[in-house]
Each structure stands twice: as structure tokens, then as C-alpha cells.
Amino acid sequence: MEYLRNMCLVLILILGTWASLAGSRTLQDTSMLEQYQQWMSQHGRVYKTDAEKEQRFKIFSENVARIEAFNMAGNKSYRLGINQFADLTNEEFRTSRNRFRGHLVSSKDVVSFKYQNVTAIPSAMDWRRKGAVTPVKNQDKCGCCWAFSAVAAVEGITKLRTEKLISLSEQELVDCDVKGEDKGCNGGLMDDAFKFIIKNHGLTTERNYPYKGADGKCNTRRAANPAVKIKGYQNVPANNENALLNAVAHQPVSVAIDAGGFEFQFYFGGIFKGVCGNQLNHGVAAVGYGVTEDGTKYWLVKNSWGPEWGEKGYIRMQRDVGHEGGLCGIAMMASYPTA
């Protein structure tokens, strides 16, 4: 009898342990589900079917777990965070947002670089503080990062030359600049956007030709009312961070980067030193540079994924990393308009 009583106690303890573990797992799943529902509400996410909602919940859970594991590992100069891309796989994210389709510019293609002989530049620059940067915009699911990058550079040089900061139309480029490399939401190239603006005798305002986040038919009437003009554009010598620094010291510059990684997708803040290659797939704008208190040099980059991503729509990327193209290839293919 004593033996039986002892066995019963052991079984009770085992069952109690299992129940405790099961309860913890249930609470964990419930907590994740609550987090998912709050995220859906925050981002206005509605799915057509329960099956799709369940599938997105699985992706969301996996992304959140990976983000938390990254942040808990510590010893990083940057952190990741849950943002509007949390229900997308990395492949889905890259397909919908990263559509830069440029070709590398060789040194032979750089006919002129007006900042070549600059000898003195400020130790830090932030063109936002100079009033040369419009608020962060959102390309949404349209792969026209190239248009936002080019427009940011044109907005910057316009402010520097006219003292007027004007929000210009990306949609005009998406709809009307379609005869060359640029293909609207299917990708494009900043240099070709500059060529279009020159040929079209300018670019109209965003207010006159508002952004829709989708390909459309060119509205020639709206496009015929340009607000700004540019004289030309120049390429920064490739794979030269010092040359890019000289250019950014004088105006916002269009740059291409490799932004397809998981850590870029969920960047939240800090100096990004993450894993990335040089497969240029995203157009952004370098709008400054600086140095942190611990001596880390960085680029200040304006993105086009809305203010919820990163540092209110911006990312600080490590500068002077010791190889030619710079981190994520930022110095491989840069250009800027001339007024």
C-alpha cells in the first residue's frame, strides 16, 4: 500500500508539472495572439479569410520571436522592432518594396563631379535642420523607391537654390516616366528619373499630382504644370565614400543600397551595422552624416516606408566601414541633380 501511495504522489506531481507547462504555453500563445490583434488594429489590417489571418499570424509570430531573440542577444549598436511589415515574410517584403533596377556606373561614366576638389567640409551635416528635407513619405506596396529617392534629391537642391521647400510628385514619375528603364511600381533608376525631369522641363507638385501608390495613366494636363526644374545631374565616383561625403556635405544625394535583409526590414533605431551585401535593390536619399559620442561615423538616410519604420522614417548607417562600396553598397551608385 505504501508503494502504491508513493506512485500516486509521483503521478500527481508529473501531471501537475505537465499542466503547468501546458498552461504557460497557452498563456504565451494567448499573449502573442493579443499582440497580433493589437497590431492588426494599429495598422488597420483586415484579412479576407480566416485561413489568411491564421497564416499571417504564423508569420507574425515567427518574426516577433526572431526580433526578440535579436534584441535579447545584446551587444548591438542598433535594435529591431515590430513594424508594419510584421506579417510579411522577408521574401514578400523584398518583392513589394525593393525594386531598384539600376546598373553600376563605372568611373568612365563619371564625366563631371563638381565636388571632386572639395577640401573642407563640416564634421556633421543634417539637411533636415537646414529645411531642405520634406516629411517622410510612404511608397506603400508600390515598388517605386527610385522615384522617392530622386524626388528627395530634387526637393533638396530646389530648397538650396530658391529657399523654397516644395513637396514634389512621385506619382508623375510613376505614371509618365515609363519609356526607359523606369517602370513605375515595377522598379526604376534615379538617373533616369532625373533625365525625365530634364526632358519634361520640370516636375509638378505632390499637391497637383498626388501619390496613389499604384501605376496609372499619365495625366499630361497635371504634368504640364511643373513647379521646379533641374539643369542636369551628376554621378558620384563609384565605390568612394569620401566622394559621397563631399557631395552630401553640399546637398541631399540619391543613393542605392542593399535593403533586403531581415534586420533592415525591422530596423528600429541606432547605428545600423547589420548583415547586408551589395546587391543594390532599394533607392533612398542620403541627407546627412555625423559621428556618435563613442566615435562611430554614420550616414543619415531618408527612407520611403513611412514614419513608423526606423527612427521616424530614417536610418543611421555606419560610415567608413573599410571597404569600397560602403555598408550595404551605399557608395556604389550615387547621384544628384544640379540646379
mmCIF file of all heavy atoms in Angstrom, residues 150 154 172-173 177 182 190-204 226 228-234 336-339:
data_model
loop_
_atom_site.group_PDB
_atom_site.id
_atom_site.type_symbol
_atom_site.label_atom_id
_atom_site.label_comp_id
_atom_site.label_asym_id
_atom_site.label_seq_id
_atom_site.Cartn_x
_atom_site.Cartn_y
_atom_site.Cartn_z
ATOM 1 N N ALA A 150 14.778 59.994 -56.053
ATOM 2 C CA ALA A 150 15.063 61.103 -56.969
ATOM 3 C C ALA A 150 14.354 62.381 -56.540
ATOM 4 O O ALA A 150 14.934 63.474 -56.549
ATOM 5 C CB ALA A 150 14.649 60.714 -58.396
ATOM 6 N N VAL A 154 15.803 66.168 -55.587
ATOM 7 C CA VAL A 154 15.355 67.383 -56.302
ATOM 8 C C VAL A 154 14.750 68.379 -55.315
ATOM 9 O O VAL A 154 14.976 69.592 -55.431
ATOM 10 C CB VAL A 154 14.358 67.022 -57.414
ATOM 11 C CG1 VAL A 154 13.790 68.291 -58.056
ATOM 12 C CG2 VAL A 154 15.019 66.146 -58.471
ATOM 13 N N GLU A 172 3.844 61.508 -60.648
ATOM 14 C CA GLU A 172 4.108 61.917 -62.030
ATOM 15 C C GLU A 172 5.190 61.031 -62.638
ATOM 16 O O GLU A 172 5.082 60.612 -63.807
ATOM 17 C CB GLU A 172 4.529 63.385 -62.108
ATOM 18 C CG GLU A 172 4.815 63.834 -63.535
ATOM 19 C CD GLU A 172 5.311 65.260 -63.659
ATOM 20 O OE1 GLU A 172 5.193 66.029 -62.675
ATOM 21 O OE2 GLU A 172 5.814 65.606 -64.740
ATOM 22 N N LEU A 173 6.229 60.741 -61.874
ATOM 23 C CA LEU A 173 7.281 59.860 -62.365
ATOM 24 C C LEU A 173 6.754 58.446 -62.581
ATOM 25 O O LEU A 173 7.059 57.797 -63.583
ATOM 26 C CB LEU A 173 8.452 59.837 -61.379
ATOM 27 C CG LEU A 173 9.240 61.140 -61.232
ATOM 28 C CD1 LEU A 173 10.273 61.016 -60.124
ATOM 29 C CD2 LEU A 173 9.910 61.521 -62.546
ATOM 30 N N ASP A 177 6.953 58.588 -66.518
ATOM 31 C CA ASP A 177 8.327 58.227 -66.859
ATOM 32 C C ASP A 177 8.402 56.716 -67.095
ATOM 33 O O ASP A 177 8.866 55.959 -66.250
ATOM 34 C CB ASP A 177 9.266 58.658 -65.735
ATOM 35 C CG ASP A 177 10.707 58.274 -66.003
ATOM 36 O OD1 ASP A 177 11.044 57.994 -67.164
ATOM 37 O OD2 ASP A 177 11.496 58.239 -65.032
ATOM 38 N N ASP A 182 12.709 53.082 -66.279
ATOM 39 C CA ASP A 182 11.726 53.248 -65.208
ATOM 40 C C ASP A 182 10.379 52.623 -65.584
ATOM 41 O O ASP A 182 9.827 52.919 -66.649
ATOM 42 C CB ASP A 182 11.553 54.731 -64.884
ATOM 43 C CG ASP A 182 12.847 55.360 -64.400
ATOM 44 O OD1 ASP A 182 13.738 54.608 -63.961
ATOM 45 O OD2 ASP A 182 12.968 56.594 -64.463
ATOM 46 N N MET A 190 17.163 56.121 -60.466
ATOM 47 C CA MET A 190 17.126 57.550 -60.168
ATOM 48 C C MET A 190 17.686 58.399 -61.304
ATOM 49 O O MET A 190 17.147 59.457 -61.631
ATOM 50 C CB MET A 190 17.878 57.847 -58.865
ATOM 51 C CG MET A 190 17.147 57.415 -57.619
ATOM 52 S SD MET A 190 17.306 55.644 -57.245
ATOM 53 C CE MET A 190 18.911 55.606 -56.447
ATOM 54 N N ASP A 191 18.763 57.951 -61.928
ATOM 55 C CA ASP A 191 19.345 58.723 -63.022
ATOM 56 C C ASP A 191 18.337 58.922 -64.142
ATOM 57 O O ASP A 191 18.260 60.004 -64.746
ATOM 58 C CB ASP A 191 20.589 58.009 -63.572
ATOM 59 C CG ASP A 191 21.798 58.195 -62.668
ATOM 60 O OD1 ASP A 191 21.622 58.736 -61.554
ATOM 61 O OD2 ASP A 191 22.905 57.795 -63.065
ATOM 62 N N ASP A 192 17.568 57.879 -64.445
ATOM 63 C CA ASP A 192 16.564 58.012 -65.498
ATOM 64 C C ASP A 192 15.437 58.958 -65.089
ATOM 65 O O ASP A 192 14.846 59.640 -65.930
ATOM 66 C CB ASP A 192 15.992 56.634 -65.859
ATOM 67 C CG ASP A 192 16.891 55.899 -66.839
ATOM 68 O OD1 ASP A 192 18.118 56.133 -66.793
ATOM 69 O OD2 ASP A 192 16.384 55.103 -67.650
ATOM 70 N N ALA A 193 15.138 58.996 -63.788
ATOM 71 C CA ALA A 193 14.141 59.952 -63.301
ATOM 72 C C ALA A 193 14.639 61.376 -63.503
ATOM 73 O O ALA A 193 13.875 62.257 -63.931
ATOM 74 C CB ALA A 193 13.851 59.697 -61.825
ATOM 75 N N PHE A 194 15.915 61.613 -63.223
ATOM 76 C CA PHE A 194 16.489 62.945 -63.465
ATOM 77 C C PHE A 194 16.408 63.307 -64.948
ATOM 78 O O PHE A 194 16.074 64.445 -65.306
ATOM 79 C CB PHE A 194 17.946 63.000 -62.994
ATOM 80 C CG PHE A 194 18.129 62.823 -61.509
ATOM 81 C CD1 PHE A 194 19.233 62.141 -61.011
ATOM 82 C CD2 PHE A 194 17.202 63.332 -60.607
ATOM 83 C CE1 PHE A 194 19.423 61.985 -59.645
ATOM 84 C CE2 PHE A 194 17.373 63.172 -59.237
ATOM 85 C CZ PHE A 194 18.486 62.496 -58.761
ATOM 86 N N LYS A 195 16.702 62.331 -65.815
ATOM 87 C CA LYS A 195 16.641 62.573 -67.262
ATOM 88 C C LYS A 195 15.225 62.957 -67.689
ATOM 89 O O LYS A 195 15.035 63.859 -68.509
ATOM 90 C CB LYS A 195 17.091 61.328 -68.021
ATOM 91 C CG LYS A 195 18.566 60.988 -67.874
ATOM 92 C CD LYS A 195 18.886 59.668 -68.567
ATOM 93 C CE LYS A 195 20.335 59.270 -68.350
ATOM 94 N NZ LYS A 195 20.621 57.939 -68.964
ATOM 95 N N PHE A 196 14.237 62.266 -67.108
ATOM 96 C CA PHE A 196 12.848 62.571 -67.450
ATOM 97 C C PHE A 196 12.492 63.992 -67.022
ATOM 98 O O PHE A 196 11.851 64.736 -67.770
ATOM 99 C CB PHE A 196 11.902 61.573 -66.776
ATOM 100 C CG PHE A 196 10.454 61.945 -66.886
ATOM 101 C CD1 PHE A 196 9.710 61.623 -68.011
ATOM 102 C CD2 PHE A 196 9.821 62.654 -65.857
ATOM 103 C CE1 PHE A 196 8.369 61.984 -68.126
ATOM 104 C CE2 PHE A 196 8.485 63.027 -65.957
ATOM 105 C CZ PHE A 196 7.760 62.686 -67.097
ATOM 106 N N ILE A 197 12.889 64.371 -65.817
ATOM 107 C CA ILE A 197 12.561 65.703 -65.305
ATOM 108 C C ILE A 197 13.186 66.785 -66.191
ATOM 109 O O ILE A 197 12.556 67.810 -66.481
ATOM 110 C CB ILE A 197 13.030 65.856 -63.843
ATOM 111 C CG1 ILE A 197 12.268 64.867 -62.941
ATOM 112 C CG2 ILE A 197 12.823 67.280 -63.348
ATOM 113 C CD1 ILE A 197 12.819 64.771 -61.531
ATOM 114 N N ILE A 198 14.408 66.544 -66.628
ATOM 115 C CA ILE A 198 15.074 67.498 -67.517
ATOM 116 C C ILE A 198 14.333 67.595 -68.847
ATOM 117 O O ILE A 198 14.019 68.686 -69.331
ATOM 118 C CB ILE A 198 16.544 67.077 -67.749
ATOM 119 C CG1 ILE A 198 17.321 67.121 -66.430
ATOM 120 C CG2 ILE A 198 17.198 67.975 -68.801
ATOM 121 C CD1 ILE A 198 18.664 66.421 -66.495
ATOM 122 N N LYS A 199 14.030 66.441 -69.437
ATOM 123 C CA LYS A 199 13.357 66.403 -70.743
ATOM 124 C C LYS A 199 11.948 66.972 -70.678
ATOM 125 O O LYS A 199 11.477 67.620 -71.623
ATOM 126 C CB LYS A 199 13.321 64.960 -71.255
ATOM 127 C CG LYS A 199 12.742 64.814 -72.651
ATOM 128 C CD LYS A 199 12.786 63.370 -73.123
ATOM 129 C CE LYS A 199 12.217 63.235 -74.528
ATOM 130 N NZ LYS A 199 12.255 61.811 -74.986
ATOM 131 N N ASN A 200 11.280 66.769 -69.553
ATOM 132 C CA ASN A 200 9.903 67.227 -69.374
ATOM 133 C C ASN A 200 9.835 68.677 -68.911
ATOM 134 O O ASN A 200 8.755 69.186 -68.612
ATOM 135 C CB ASN A 200 9.184 66.323 -68.361
ATOM 136 C CG ASN A 200 7.673 66.440 -68.432
ATOM 137 O OD1 ASN A 200 7.085 66.355 -69.498
ATOM 138 N ND2 ASN A 200 7.049 66.657 -67.278
ATOM 139 N N HIS A 201 10.990 69.316 -68.797
ATOM 140 C CA HIS A 201 11.089 70.720 -68.383
ATOM 141 C C HIS A 201 10.550 70.928 -66.960
ATOM 142 O O HIS A 201 9.968 71.969 -66.665
ATOM 143 C CB HIS A 201 10.352 71.635 -69.364
ATOM 144 C CG HIS A 201 10.811 71.468 -70.780
ATOM 145 N ND1 HIS A 201 12.072 71.836 -71.192
ATOM 146 C CD2 HIS A 201 10.178 70.955 -71.870
ATOM 147 C CE1 HIS A 201 12.204 71.569 -72.491
ATOM 148 N NE2 HIS A 201 11.077 71.031 -72.918
ATOM 149 N N GLY A 202 10.776 69.938 -66.105
ATOM 150 C CA GLY A 202 10.444 70.116 -64.702
ATOM 151 C C GLY A 202 9.538 69.025 -64.154
ATOM 152 O O GLY A 202 9.197 68.054 -64.837
ATOM 153 N N LEU A 203 9.155 69.218 -62.891
ATOM 154 C CA LEU A 203 8.303 68.268 -62.174
ATOM 155 C C LEU A 203 7.267 69.050 -61.386
ATOM 156 O O LEU A 203 7.573 70.094 -60.804
ATOM 157 C CB LEU A 203 9.156 67.424 -61.217
ATOM 158 C CG LEU A 203 8.478 66.243 -60.518
ATOM 159 C CD1 LEU A 203 8.100 65.151 -61.521
ATOM 160 C CD2 LEU A 203 9.416 65.659 -59.451
ATOM 161 N N THR A 204 6.043 68.560 -61.364
ATOM 162 C CA THR A 204 4.974 69.263 -60.674
ATOM 163 C C THR A 204 4.956 68.914 -59.182
ATOM 164 O O THR A 204 5.711 68.066 -58.713
ATOM 165 C CB THR A 204 3.609 68.961 -61.319
ATOM 166 O OG1 THR A 204 2.644 69.902 -60.843
ATOM 167 C CG2 THR A 204 3.135 67.549 -60.978
ATOM 168 N N PRO A 226 4.769 72.254 -64.346
ATOM 169 C CA PRO A 226 5.920 71.995 -63.475
ATOM 170 C C PRO A 226 6.125 73.100 -62.437
ATOM 171 O O PRO A 226 5.868 74.273 -62.704
ATOM 172 C CB PRO A 226 7.088 71.943 -64.456
ATOM 173 C CG PRO A 226 6.658 72.784 -65.610
ATOM 174 C CD PRO A 226 5.184 72.569 -65.737
ATOM 175 N N VAL A 228 9.173 72.951 -60.436
ATOM 176 C CA VAL A 228 10.622 73.139 -60.338
ATOM 177 C C VAL A 228 11.282 72.538 -61.574
ATOM 178 O O VAL A 228 10.701 71.694 -62.265
ATOM 179 C CB VAL A 228 11.204 72.464 -59.066
ATOM 180 C CG1 VAL A 228 10.532 72.983 -57.815
ATOM 181 C CG2 VAL A 228 11.080 70.945 -59.149
ATOM 182 N N LYS A 229 12.494 72.990 -61.838
ATOM 183 C CA LYS A 229 13.283 72.462 -62.944
ATOM 184 C C LYS A 229 14.690 72.148 -62.454
ATOM 185 O O LYS A 229 15.155 72.729 -61.473
ATOM 186 C CB LYS A 229 13.343 73.475 -64.089
ATOM 187 C CG LYS A 229 12.002 73.808 -64.728
ATOM 188 C CD LYS A 229 12.164 74.809 -65.853
ATOM 189 C CE LYS A 229 10.804 75.132 -66.488
ATOM 190 N NZ LYS A 229 10.937 76.111 -67.598
ATOM 191 N N ILE A 230 15.353 71.228 -63.137
ATOM 192 C CA ILE A 230 16.767 70.979 -62.866
ATOM 193 C C ILE A 230 17.530 71.089 -64.177
ATOM 194 O O ILE A 230 16.988 70.837 -65.265
ATOM 195 C CB ILE A 230 17.015 69.597 -62.220
ATOM 196 C CG1 ILE A 230 16.495 68.462 -63.112
ATOM 197 C CG2 ILE A 230 16.397 69.530 -60.838
ATOM 198 C CD1 ILE A 230 16.850 67.067 -62.598
ATOM 199 N N LYS A 231 18.778 71.476 -64.075
ATOM 200 C CA LYS A 231 19.602 71.677 -65.266
ATOM 201 C C LYS A 231 20.199 70.371 -65.747
ATOM 202 O O LYS A 231 20.348 70.139 -66.949
ATOM 203 C CB LYS A 231 20.705 72.686 -64.946
ATOM 204 C CG LYS A 231 21.629 73.007 -66.109
ATOM 205 C CD LYS A 231 22.683 74.016 -65.691
ATOM 206 C CE LYS A 231 23.618 74.356 -66.839
ATOM 207 N NZ LYS A 231 24.649 75.337 -66.429
ATOM 208 N N GLY A 232 20.554 69.510 -64.794
ATOM 209 C CA GLY A 232 21.197 68.248 -65.144
ATOM 210 C C GLY A 232 21.376 67.393 -63.905
ATOM 211 O O GLY A 232 20.727 67.622 -62.866
ATOM 212 N N TYR A 233 22.246 66.418 -63.990
ATOM 213 C CA TYR A 233 22.577 65.589 -62.828
ATOM 214 C C TYR A 233 23.999 65.075 -62.994
ATOM 215 O O TYR A 233 24.559 65.072 -64.109
ATOM 216 C CB TYR A 233 21.594 64.425 -62.673
ATOM 217 C CG TYR A 233 21.785 63.313 -63.670
ATOM 218 C CD1 TYR A 233 22.569 62.206 -63.370
ATOM 219 C CD2 TYR A 233 21.199 63.373 -64.935
ATOM 220 C CE1 TYR A 233 22.758 61.181 -64.285
ATOM 221 C CE2 TYR A 233 21.381 62.362 -65.863
ATOM 222 C CZ TYR A 233 22.164 61.270 -65.534
ATOM 223 O OH TYR A 233 22.353 60.268 -66.448
ATOM 224 N N GLN A 234 24.596 64.656 -61.907
ATOM 225 C CA GLN A 234 25.944 64.109 -61.939
ATOM 226 C C GLN A 234 26.007 62.848 -61.087
ATOM 227 O O GLN A 234 25.284 62.722 -60.091
ATOM 228 C CB GLN A 234 26.966 65.129 -61.419
ATOM 229 C CG GLN A 234 27.122 66.360 -62.295
ATOM 230 C CD GLN A 234 28.160 67.334 -61.753
ATOM 231 O OE1 GLN A 234 28.555 67.272 -60.591
ATOM 232 N NE2 GLN A 234 28.604 68.250 -62.617
ATOM 233 N N TYR A 336 23.130 63.012 -58.029
ATOM 234 C CA TYR A 336 22.433 64.181 -57.516
ATOM 235 C C TYR A 336 22.096 65.123 -58.665
ATOM 236 O O TYR A 336 22.798 65.191 -59.668
ATOM 237 C CB TYR A 336 23.303 64.910 -56.486
ATOM 238 C CG TYR A 336 24.677 65.272 -56.994
ATOM 239 C CD1 TYR A 336 24.897 66.489 -57.640
ATOM 240 C CD2 TYR A 336 25.748 64.404 -56.846
ATOM 241 C CE1 TYR A 336 26.146 66.821 -58.127
ATOM 242 C CE2 TYR A 336 27.003 64.720 -57.333
ATOM 243 C CZ TYR A 336 27.207 65.930 -57.968
ATOM 244 O OH TYR A 336 28.441 66.258 -58.469
ATOM 245 N N PRO A 337 20.986 65.864 -58.556
ATOM 246 C CA PRO A 337 20.610 66.820 -59.597
ATOM 247 C C PRO A 337 21.379 68.128 -59.436
ATOM 248 O O PRO A 337 21.813 68.476 -58.347
ATOM 249 C CB PRO A 337 19.109 67.031 -59.322
ATOM 250 C CG PRO A 337 18.966 66.822 -57.842
ATOM 251 C CD PRO A 337 19.986 65.763 -57.477
ATOM 252 N N THR A 338 21.522 68.821 -60.536
ATOM 253 C CA THR A 338 22.136 70.156 -60.489
ATOM 254 C C THR A 338 21.085 71.168 -60.911
ATOM 255 O O THR A 338 20.299 70.927 -61.817
ATOM 256 C CB THR A 338 23.344 70.212 -61.455
ATOM 257 O OG1 THR A 338 22.930 69.856 -62.778
ATOM 258 C CG2 THR A 338 24.445 69.274 -60.995
ATOM 259 N N ALA A 339 21.101 72.278 -60.228
ATOM 260 C CA ALA A 339 20.047 73.284 -60.448
ATOM 261 C C ALA A 339 20.424 74.226 -61.580
ATOM 262 O O ALA A 339 21.609 74.403 -61.878
ATOM 263 C CB ALA A 339 19.824 74.082 -59.177
#
